[in-house]
Amino acid sequence: MAEQPEAEFNLRDLNDQELTEQVHDDLYNGLKTEVEEATHIFLERGWSAEKVLNDALVEGMRIVGIDFRDGILFVPEVLLAANSMKGGMEILRPLLAETGVDEGKLNPLGGAIALGHPLGSSGSRLICSLSHEMNRSGAEVGLATMCIGVGQGIASIWRRG
């Protein structure tokens, strides 16, 4: 018996909740083209760039991070997910730039050259500096990012708790 071809899957047929869950799955599976298409669909539906970023992309990567932490996913899968996230971010970046972020809140103490770049402990230095800056400024949320090399990077979001 011959197999029946699968019906064409159309992201536009999904409601917002289903599309959000599909983006989470597509990030998990490293499907960059699908993440880019869904990002465009959200924006066409009137979602703000921040909502797409937080509800679809960041939440999807949170799920990836949990499974990486738990040993379910490994570095190659995480890199595919990150590349898919990058596809969505390339669409959102110009829109997010228009939001008027106070650039005085970005890297207020300087970067690695200004603060030092200790071999093997850059991450701990970043988090320690971020913690002190969050206490000093009263910030509720902080973001630490670091390039790793060969096109890689890492980021962590910290919330006062």
Side-chain angles (χ1 to χ4, degrees):
M1 180 176 204
E3 288 186 30
Q4 296 292 326
E6 284 189 34
E8 183 73 24
F9 183 73
N10 189 344
L11 292 174
R12 293 184 183 283
D13 293 339
L14 302 176
N15 66 36
D16 287 354
Q17 181 61 38
E18 293 168 334
L19 185 58
T20 301
E21 292 170 4
Q22 186 63 48
V23 168
H24 298 167
D25 290 345
D26 290 343
L27 281 166
Y28 195 92
N29 293 313
L31 302 175
K32 183 177 181 179
T33 302
E34 288 80 355
V35 170
E36 292 169 339
E37 180 182 354
T39 300
H40 283 296
I41 293 169
F42 283 128
L43 294 171
E44 290 167 8
R45 291 180 182 180
W47 282 40
S48 70
E50 293 88 355
K51 183 171 176 60
V52 177
L53 175 64
N54 293 322
D55 294 1
L57 300 179
V58 171
E59 178 60 20
M61 288 303 291
R62 186 187 69 79
I63 296 164
V64 169
I66 289 169
D67 281 2
F68 178 66
R69 177 198 67 200
D70 294 344
I72 297 166
L73 292 177
F74 298 95
V75 171
E77 292 92 357
V78 174
L79 292 175
L80 287 172
N83 189 51
S84 298
M85 170 82 168
K86 181 180 176 184
M89 285 303 302
E90 288 171 350
I91 296 163
L92 297 178
R93 185 172 289 114
L95 301 172
L96 293 167
E98 294 173 1
T99 62
V101 171
D102 178 4
E103 293 193 20
K105 293 182 178 180
L106 301 177
N107 219 13
L109 301 177
I113 294 172
L115 294 172
H117 185 52
L119 185 62
S121 62
S122 297
S124 59
R125 202 275 305 147
L126 276 170
I127 300 310
C128 183
S129 295
L130 177 63
S131 174
H132 287 289
E133 178 61 20
M134 287 175 67
N135 284 330
R136 186 195 66 73
S137 67
E140 291 296 316
V141 178
L143 173 68
T145 63
M146 180 171 49
C147 67
I148 297 173
V150 195
Q152 299 177 59
I154 191 166
S156 60
I157 299 173
W158 296 79
R159 183 177 307 273
R160 186 185 295 271

